[in-house]
Amino acid sequence: MKKALVLAGGIAQVALIEELKSRGYRTLLADMNPGCVAAKYCDEFYPVSAMDVEGIIALAKEQNADMVLTACADQIIVAEVETCEALGLKTYLDLETVKLVSDKHYMKDVFIKNSIPTSRYVVLDHFDAEKIAGLNYPIVVKPVDAYSARGVRRCNNLEEVEEFLPDAIEISRTKTAVVEEFVAGEELTVEAFVCKGKATVLCIGSKNKLKNGRFVLSGSLYPAEISDELTEEIKQTTQKIADAFHLDNSPININMITDGNHGYVLEFCARTGGFVKYEITRIMSGFDPIKAIVDMHEGIDPVVGEVKPENRYLMTCYLYCSEGVLDHYEGFEDMHEKGIISRYYLVRNKGHQFKGITSQGDRAAGFFVQDDNYDKLLEKYETALKNLKILDKNGNDLVRRDLM
């Protein structure tokens, strides 16, 4: 039987494992956390960090893996490509490209050189007031190579840059951070796929953030309510990104901000968006990025075909918790059975300790609501939010509704 080694054990990897099993693979999972969500879905679990390239190569050799892959994971894709190149296995990016698209410094430089609209920036490895002096406030600091909004902070003055910059630098593997001008407007999330060099936009959503000043995503609304002209501009920008980074066959996830007339690229990844973006993309476009990812690792060129837009609104919501220890979830199946929520995802196991909210990786659960009517969609959202609970052993509800 063919063997596939999956890196990281999140929700997206559950879908990846299920797709691999449907194709006859024995699934091996590498993750440092034995309690990760995907652990109970794989055939064999190995407590190896998905970022430990040497450990992954050794495991793949030992198990004679026919395939090594991940999905919807930013920095882990670097480990995947390093492993595949070392072992002569198929993957959809080469090592030089994957390292470059994971580096926000290089990314911003390519944007500017290729007339891809973005904000002005500098890159720092220490606080330097002189280099920042040419930028207009507010300013955003972010690690060059982190993900899930880790270390991303908005700064309204030089003192705040000096306060928050060291954290962004420390989080970065290269110990550098991007310091860029903040562009006011509505933030958009774009899912696309490149097939033989042609980029196809699959869906565009508008993003909502928690009210904690840390750029942590609380959910999104699909489709984003933007003009046809802006939609066309986004399609052109997506193709420019594919061309500039020489992407042949690859998923693309873009974070943008719009003033209502034009879109400005904040950053992009050569992967499907994190957490359950693969499922959102499938619902909103009819295209399954998980199947396409496995195709590419089998040496099959993906085909997008005709995009079939979903007619209904879809709102995603991610729940975060105050500090405490998870005992159980309540209300999710009931809300699903009543048709209030269409899907839900429980991320943590009993006994998980919530330590605060600093990035999207701290989410405890997620759910979707769908409806033809926007007002009814909001009613479903409010009903779900009131009835879904994440409880500690004393019955205290840990959900931070005040931040949503």
Side-chain angles (χ1 to χ4, degrees):
M1 178 180 284
K2 298 177 293 183
K3 293 182 180 180
L5 173 57
V6 175
L7 308 184
I11 292 287
Q13 283 73 41
V14 172
L16 185 57
I17 287 169
E18 290 176 340
E19 176 63 25
L20 288 163
K21 284 186 174 182
S22 74
R23 301 190 189 203
Y25 284 89
R26 183 167 183 79
T27 56
L28 322 177
L29 176 63
D31 193 295
M32 279 300 292
N33 178 17
C36 66
V37 176
K40 62 184 178 182
Y41 293 88
C42 67
D43 296 307
E44 299 176 29
F45 176 83
Y46 295 90
V48 178
S49 170
M51 298 289 288
D52 177 6
V53 175
E54 290 185 3
I56 295 299
I57 290 174
L59 177 58
K61 284 182 176 179
E62 175 190 313
Q63 295 298 320
N64 294 314
D66 300 283
M67 183 185 295
V68 176
L69 72 170
T70 190
C72 313
D74 199 358
Q75 295 300 313
I76 296 170
I77 189 68
V78 180
E80 175 201 307
V81 174
E82 286 190 30
T83 300
C84 289
E85 289 211 352
L87 300 178
L89 299 175
K90 291 183 176 67
T91 185
Y92 65 89
L93 295 172
D94 59 67
L95 188 54
E96 180 182 4
T97 301
V98 76
K99 287 184 175 179
L100 292 177
V101 300
S102 300
D103 184 323
K104 295 181 178 66
H105 181 189
Y106 172 81
M107 184 184 300
K108 296 280 284 187
D109 189 44
V110 173
F111 288 166
I112 290 171
K113 288 179 179 177
N114 288 272
S115 301
I116 295 168
T118 191
S119 55
R120 295 195 304 150
Y121 76 102
V122 297
V123 175
L124 300 176
D125 58 9
H126 66 279
F127 177 73
D128 188 329
E130 186 175 338
K131 287 187 177 180
I132 298 168
L135 300 179
N136 297 316
Y137 289 92
I139 281 172
V140 175
V141 301
K142 61 176 72 172
V144 158
D145 50 9
Y147 55 97
S148 296
R150 292 182 67 228
V152 181
R153 298 299 295 267
R154 172 175 166 161
C155 307
N156 295 307
N157 51 56
L158 188 62
E159 290 72 23
E160 290 185 353
V161 176
E162 188 172 13
E163 177 184 355
F164 297 131
L165 181 64
D167 184 46
I169 291 171
E170 182 58 32
I171 288 171
S172 167
R173 289 181 294 111
T174 59
K175 304 306 175 190
T176 52
V178 171
V179 181
E180 65 182 354
E181 291 180 344
F182 175 79
V183 179
E186 179 182 17
E187 193 165 342
L188 304 175
T189 176
V190 181
E191 294 297 319
F193 215 96
V194 183
C195 296
K196 295 184 178 180
K198 183 182 184 301
T200 300
V201 170
L202 301 168
C203 59
I204 304 172
S206 57
K207 300 173 74 171
N208 297 312
K209 300 294 182 69
L210 292 182
K211 300 171 185 175
N212 70 343
R214 283 185 173 268
F215 292 86
V216 177
L217 183 67
S218 64
S220 302
L221 173 67
Y222 295 84
E225 296 186 338
I226 58 177
S227 68
D228 292 341
E229 291 78 13
L230 180 54
T231 299
E232 183 58 35
E233 179 185 293
I234 290 171
K235 290 178 180 179
Q236 293 175 9
T237 297
T238 303
Q239 186 63 57
K240 281 186 178 182
I241 290 173
D243 294 340
F245 290 86
H246 309 293
L247 300 177
D248 188 28
N249 293 311
S250 175
I252 295 181
N253 168 248
I254 310 172
N255 288 327
M256 305 183 74
I257 200 156
T258 178
D259 58 10
N261 296 312
H262 300 287
Y264 303 86
V265 179
L266 301 175
E267 60 189 38
F268 94 99
C269 305
R271 61 168 176 83
T272 299
F275 194 43
V276 292
K277 282 284 186 67
Y278 69 91
E279 184 71 357
I280 296 167
T281 301
R282 188 190 63 77
I283 294 170
M284 297 307 298
S285 71
F287 177 77
D288 189 335
I290 296 294
K291 290 181 181 294
I293 287 167
V294 178
D295 281 346
M296 291 188 293
H297 284 81
E298 289 188 325
I300 302 168
D301 286 338
V303 177
V304 171
E306 181 185 358
V307 175
K308 301 174 182 177
E310 168 64 63
N311 292 322
R312 294 185 297 169
Y313 289 105
L314 184 152
M315 180 181 286
T316 66
C317 179
Y318 306 130
L319 301 180
Y320 298 84
C321 290
S322 55
E323 294 186 9
V325 178
L326 171 65
D327 185 74
H328 67 281
Y329 293 90
E330 197 170 280
F332 287 84
E333 187 56 29
D334 179 57
M335 288 289 97
H336 184 256
E337 289 178 355
K338 290 179 177 177
I340 303 298
I341 61 177
S342 57
R343 285 171 174 76
Y344 65 88
Y345 306 86
L346 308 181
V347 179
R348 307 298 177 188
N349 295 320
K350 181 176 180 178
H352 177 82
Q353 184 171 2
F354 299 109
K355 298 179 180 180
I357 307 166
T358 60
S359 76
Q360 271 102 249
D362 295 316
R363 64 173 71 87
F367 65 89
F368 296 174
V369 291
Q370 291 180 263
D371 206 283
D372 297 325
N373 181 279
Y374 182 69
D375 290 335
K376 290 182 178 178
L377 182 87
L378 293 181
E379 288 179 13
K380 287 182 177 180
Y381 166 76
E382 294 294 342
T383 300
L385 208 54
K386 290 176 183 176
N387 288 276
L388 300 177
K389 298 179 180 179
I390 302 173
L391 305 168
D392 66 13
K393 66 179 181 180
N394 296 317
N396 298 310
D397 189 1
L398 303 175
V399 176
R400 290 294 305 273
R401 296 176 183 81
D402 58 308
L403 296 180
M404 302 177 72

